[in-house]
Amino acid sequence: MHFGWRRSAAAKADPAKQMPASVKAPERHQAKHAHAEIHAYIAIRDRLLAEAEEIPSSSTLHRACIANDVVEIFLKPAKPPYEAQYLSDSEATLERERCTTIKNRITELRAKIATASGGTVQKSQRPPLFGVRAPA
């Protein structure tokens, strides 16, 4: 008597042919989700750059710079088996060029801020909150 487990002929066949369509659909869904996420980071970066151009300050420029760095990370060339989770080569190349342009624009805006302030930190006109004594 034999109690061991034996693979049927169907189980020995090519596993790719046996994969139901429902298993392949999530892969396409995940790729679309990854593309949508990359485009969301690009939109966030663009919005932060618009804010920095409207109100150029060190903090708005810093946020735009960080967002641009994050987008650049997501645009690195795809490595197997993750190609589906990256943008196409042509789209990624275009976005990398935009990242370079934005980096240059941030540098220009930083130079304008330094020029406007004379390269010095402006002192606040408000009195300090701590260490101030109430009038007697």
Side-chain angles (χ1 to χ4, degrees):
M1 201 180 250
H2 182 47
F3 292 106
W5 180 77
R6 292 175 46 157
R7 295 178 80 184
S8 66
K12 292 178 185 177
D14 186 39
K17 291 180 182 178
Q18 293 179 353
M19 192 178 304
S22 63
V23 174
K24 292 181 182 179
E27 289 175 4
R28 276 183 260 143
H29 175 71
Q30 290 171 350
K32 286 181 182 179
H33 180 74
H35 291 186
E37 191 170 337
I38 292 169
H39 285 288
Y41 280 107
I42 291 169
I44 290 167
R45 185 258 334 256
D46 293 345
R47 190 171 358 124
L48 289 171
L49 177 64
E51 179 184 339
E53 287 181 331
E54 186 178 316
I55 308 168
S57 68
S58 59
S59 62
T60 58
L61 290 170
H62 184 69
R63 287 193 298 267
C65 185
I66 289 173
N68 195 51
D69 290 346
V70 168
V71 170
E72 278 186 317
I73 290 168
F74 289 140
L75 296 174
K76 288 183 179 180
K79 294 181 182 178
Y82 305 105
E83 293 93 348
Q85 296 176 2
Y86 286 80
L87 299 180
S88 66
D89 288 337
S90 60
E91 189 176 4
T93 301
L94 178 68
E95 287 299 329
R96 278 189 219 106
E97 290 171 2
R98 285 189 66 217
C99 284
T100 302
T101 303
I102 288 170
K103 195 178 288 186
N104 292 336
R105 180 65 181 143
I106 290 170
T107 302
E108 291 171 8
L109 291 170
R110 280 191 173 140
K112 285 182 182 179
I113 290 174
T115 304
S117 67
T120 61
V121 177
Q122 298 293 323
K123 187 174 180 181
S124 174
Q125 298 299 324
R126 294 186 297 172
L129 295 176
F130 299 103
V132 177
R133 293 186 179 179

